[in-house]
């Protein structure tokens, strides 16, 4: 640049003009030299700029590589993570209590399920034991628990072998052993239902005493009073049998009756047969809230002979409870009025009306007020 400006300020002399004419190529050489110098300057300038650009890029890449080595790798995420809030002690304590309550609730549920399962198992066990006990009390099974005990003196009579042959035929258990009462036959019963607490066989109350005619007459003379005294005061039943076959039949009949006794006692154990549970027995169930008591009262009156449901309904309608009827009896002074208290009540049956009558009225009165359990109501 400075060269070009200097060239413009030069003055051309005459000698130089002549020289210019003679040396026409000088300006051309100078211009070429000037162009060459300018070209070199441009090249130097471009090379400097290029070197600066390369150094800048190298510095940038170096700083990028250093930054990548020093800084941890960044994980790209779609949404920025919220800042975690620090919980207070009250919140921590509340969470702990909630977890404790949930655990206790689960434990209670487990205990309830285990208890229910145990109760079901015990109920099934009780049912099985009750069924097994009922099965043992059936006559065909109870007969296997009986043993016929025969006194040796009985076998001294002629024809006593019929008794032993019959017991063997029926496959009944029997034993020949001395009895407290000579010439007697007794029975013992095994009690397998007692399990480990069993105390061995139990003796039955029934005793069969085999007496000849002479011995029996001697016994009657000693007592001095015949058959009624023995039956009423000593609870002794006398049976006159002819021969050992009749004796054998009587012993077999008593054995079968003893085998049926436990089952009959089980079925007759209910104190109020008219208030049994279940419609199959035509009974009425009294609930805890008192419902059903009026029907029980009506059924109780129907237990009397010749008392129809219509008559019982009439009595229960006039006196809804036994206590009210007893109070009515107490309010009457004479005995005759008490017996006929219910006689005038009207009974509607089949479109007709009739009165209860003095007979049924007196029967109901005796049933509710009598103190003798053996009193005959009719």
């Amino acid at each position: 640049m400075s060269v070009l400006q200097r060239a413009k300020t030069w003055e051309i002399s005459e000698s130089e003009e002549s020289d210019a004419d003679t040396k026409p190529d000088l300006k051309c050489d100078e211009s070429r030299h000037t162009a060459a110098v300018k070209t070199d300057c441009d090249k130097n300038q471009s090379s400097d700029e290029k070197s600066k650009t390369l150094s800048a890029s190298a510095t940038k890449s170096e700083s990028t590589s250093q930054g990548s080595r020093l800084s941890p790798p960044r994980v790209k995420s779609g949404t920025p993570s919220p800042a975690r809030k620090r919980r207070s002690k009250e919140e921590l304590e509340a969470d702990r209590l909630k977890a404790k309550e949930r655990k206790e609730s689960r434990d209670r549920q487990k205990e309830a399920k285990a208890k229910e399962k145990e109760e079901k198992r015990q109920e099934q066990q009780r049912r099985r034991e009750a069924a097994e006990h009922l099965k043992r009390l059936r006559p065909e099974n109870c007969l296997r628990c009986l043993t016929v005990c025969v006194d040796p003196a009985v076998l001294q009579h002629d024809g006593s072998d019929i008794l032993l042959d019959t017991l063997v035929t029926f496959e009944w258990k029997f034993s020949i052993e001395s009895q407290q009462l000579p010439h007697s036959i007794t029975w013992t019963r095994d009690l397998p239902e007692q399990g480990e607490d069993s105390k061995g066989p139990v003796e039955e109350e029934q005793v069969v005493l085999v007496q000849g005619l002479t011995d029996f007459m001697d016994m009657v003379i000693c007592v001095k009073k015949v058959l009624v005294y023995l039956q009423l005061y000593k609870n002794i039943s006398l049976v006159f049998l002819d021969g050992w076959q009749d004796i054998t039949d009587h012993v077999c009949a008593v054995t079968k009756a003893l085998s049926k006794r436990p089952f009959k006692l089980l079925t007759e154990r209910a104190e109020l047969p008219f208030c049994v549970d279940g419609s199959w027995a035509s009974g009425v169930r009294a609930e805890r809230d008192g419902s059903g008591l009026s029907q029980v009262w009506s059924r109780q009156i129907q237990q009397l002979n010749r008392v129809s449901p219509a008559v019982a309904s009439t009595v229960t309608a006039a006196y809804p409870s036994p206590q009210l009827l007893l109070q009515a009896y107490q309010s009457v002074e004479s005995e005759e009025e008490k017996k006929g208290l219910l006689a005038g009540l009207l009974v509607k049956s089949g479109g007709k009306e009739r009165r209860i009558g003095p007979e049924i009225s007196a029967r109901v009165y005796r049933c509710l007020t009598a103190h003798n359990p053996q009193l005959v109501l009719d």
Side-chain angles (χ1 to χ4, degrees):
M1 182 71 179
S2 61
V3 175
L4 291 177
Q5 290 177 353
R6 186 181 300 173
K8 288 182 179 180
T9 58
W10 284 345
E11 294 181 357
I12 301 174
S13 61
E14 293 179 357
S15 60
E16 289 178 351
E17 290 179 357
S18 63
D19 291 337
D21 292 334
T22 56
K23 297 180 182 178
D25 296 329
L26 181 60
K27 292 182 179 180
C28 182
D29 293 334
E30 290 178 356
S31 62
R32 288 177 182 173
H33 179 71
T34 304
V37 171
K38 184 178 181 180
T39 303
D40 293 337
C41 292
D42 293 336
K43 287 181 179 181
N44 293 332
Q45 185 178 2
S46 62
S47 61
D48 293 338
E49 292 177 354
K50 186 175 182 181
S51 61
K52 290 180 181 180
T53 304
L54 292 175
S55 62
S57 62
T59 304
K60 184 177 181 180
S61 62
E62 183 179 0
S63 62
T64 303
S65 61
Q66 289 178 358
S68 63
R69 286 195 301 268
L70 295 177
S71 61
R74 295 182 180 179
V75 180
K76 295 183 179 181
S77 176
T79 57
S81 60
R84 187 174 181 180
K85 185 178 179 181
R86 186 175 182 181
R87 294 186 298 175
S88 61
K89 294 183 178 180
E90 291 77 6
E91 293 177 348
L92 294 174
E93 184 66 19
D95 293 342
R96 188 183 66 81
L97 292 177
K98 289 181 180 179
K100 184 178 180 181
E101 291 178 357
R102 288 195 297 267
K103 184 177 181 303
E104 291 177 354
S105 177
R106 289 193 298 268
D107 294 340
R108 286 194 298 267
Q109 292 178 358
K110 290 182 180 179
E111 292 178 359
K113 289 182 180 179
K115 184 178 180 180
E116 183 179 0
K117 185 177 180 181
E118 181 65 20
E119 289 178 355
K120 289 182 179 180
R121 187 190 67 79
Q122 293 179 0
E123 181 65 21
Q124 292 177 357
Q125 182 66 19
R126 286 193 295 267
R127 290 181 179 179
R128 284 194 296 267
E129 292 177 355
E132 186 66 22
H133 179 68
L134 182 62
K135 183 178 179 181
R136 285 196 298 264
L137 292 182
R138 294 187 177 278
E140 60 273 14
N141 296 327
C142 189
L143 191 60
R144 302 173 184 174
C145 301
L146 291 175
T147 302
V148 183
C149 302
V150 183
D151 188 77
V154 176
L155 302 179
Q156 296 178 1
H157 297 274
D158 296 336
S160 59
D161 54 342
I162 298 176
L163 175 62
L164 298 181
D165 294 340
T166 304
L167 295 178
V168 172
T169 303
F170 288 158
E171 296 182 354
W172 291 350
K173 295 188 296 184
F174 67 93
S175 64
I176 302 174
E177 54 186 9
S178 299
Q179 304 295 320
Q180 295 181 357
L181 188 62
H183 300 275
S184 64
I185 300 175
T186 60
W187 288 265
T188 59
R189 184 191 303 274
D190 297 331
L191 300 177
E193 63 272 13
Q194 293 183 355
E196 297 179 356
D197 298 335
S198 178
K199 298 180 180 180
V202 177
E203 294 183 0
E204 297 289 343
E205 297 178 355
Q206 280 67 23
V207 178
V208 173
L209 181 62
V210 181
Q211 291 284 344
L213 181 59
T214 305
D215 297 335
F216 175 71
M217 292 302 297
D218 295 339
M219 183 180 64
V220 172
I221 293 172
C222 292
V223 176
K224 296 182 181 180
K225 294 180 181 180
V226 288
L227 303 178
V228 176
Y229 172 81
L230 294 176
Q231 292 179 355
L232 295 181
Y233 296 96
K234 299 298 182 181
N235 196 21
I236 297 176
S237 299
L238 299 179
V239 181
F240 296 95
L241 302 173
D242 187 11
W244 271 99
Q245 185 61 49
D246 294 342
I247 295 176
T248 301
D249 295 340
H250 181 68
V251 172
C252 294
V254 174
T255 304
K256 291 181 180 179
L258 290 175
S259 66
K260 296 178 182 179
R261 173 184 288 181
F263 192 77
K264 286 185 177 180
L265 292 176
L266 181 65
T267 56
E268 296 175 357
R269 186 176 298 175
E271 297 180 358
L272 300 176
F274 56 87
C275 191
V276 295
D277 185 10
S279 59
W280 56 271
S282 299
V284 178
R285 182 179 179 85
E287 302 296 340
R288 293 181 179 272
D289 57 355
S291 59
L293 290 176
S294 59
Q295 297 181 4
V296 172
W297 170 225
S298 178
R299 293 294 179 87
Q300 186 177 2
I301 298 176
Q302 294 180 38
Q303 300 300 311
L304 302 176
N305 293 334
R306 299 184 298 279
V307 175
S308 62
V311 174
S313 299
T314 302
V315 176
T316 55
Y319 302 97
S321 67
Q323 186 66 27
L324 295 177
L325 183 55
L326 291 175
Q327 291 177 1
Y329 285 140
Q330 293 175 0
S331 62
V332 179
E333 295 181 358
S334 64
E335 192 73 14
E336 294 298 328
E337 290 179 354
K338 293 180 180 180
K339 291 181 179 180
L341 181 63
L342 305 177
L345 298 179
L346 293 177
V347 180
K348 296 181 180 180
S349 178
K352 298 180 181 180
E353 292 185 356
R354 63 182 181 86
R355 300 184 182 277
I356 290 181
E359 182 182 355
I360 296 179
S361 178
R363 194 183 309 141
V364 174
Y365 170 71
R366 287 193 294 269
C367 178
L368 295 178
T369 60
H371 297 282
N372 183 11
Q374 305 297 333
L375 178 65
V376 179
L377 299 178
D378 292 337

